[in-house]
């Protein structure tokens, strides 16, 4: 876990990771995923039902379930 910002909602440390979207789900993941979007380890499923590929940088707060996305 790399802490680079605090949650704007609760102030807890946020984890740096990526949004990965393909195969009908959006994940927050610690590493970029290339071929599989099945959740593994500490991945968090954010949404189901979309078919878009992305590796957008995102920050996750596990305490209040907030995701901050840079675009």
């Amino acid at each position: 876990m790399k802490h680079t910002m605090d949650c704007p909602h609760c102030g807890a440390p946020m984890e740096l990771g990526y949004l990965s979207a393909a195969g009908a789900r959006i994940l927050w993941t610690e590493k970029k995923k290339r071929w599989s979007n099945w959740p593994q380890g500490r991945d968090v499923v954010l949404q189901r039902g979309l078919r878009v590929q992305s590796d957008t940088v995102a920050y996750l707060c596990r305490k209040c379930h907030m995701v901050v996305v840079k675009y």
Side-chain angles (χ1 to χ4, degrees), residues 5-51:
M5 75 182 291
D6 294 328
C7 178
H9 181 72
C10 72
M14 297 187 83
E15 298 175 51
L16 174 62
Y18 301 91
L19 290 186
S20 179
R25 68 177 52 89
I26 298 175
L27 300 176
W28 176 91
T29 182
E30 292 176 323
K31 297 180 181 179
K32 291 182 182 179
K33 294 196 178 276
R34 297 189 66 182
W35 305 109
S36 173
N37 237 28
W38 287 102
Q40 300 171 353
R42 295 172 45 87
D43 293 352
V44 177
V45 177
L46 301 175
Q47 177 73 37
R48 288 185 169 86
L50 296 177
R51 299 201 183 270

Side-chain angles (χ1 to χ4, degrees), residues 3 5-15 59-68:
H3 169 237
M5 75 182 291
D6 294 328
C7 178
H9 181 72
C10 72
M14 297 187 83
E15 298 175 51
Y59 299 88
L60 175 78
C61 178
R62 292 186 186 271
K63 183 176 178 181
C64 68
H65 299 189
M66 169 92 49
V67 176
V68 176

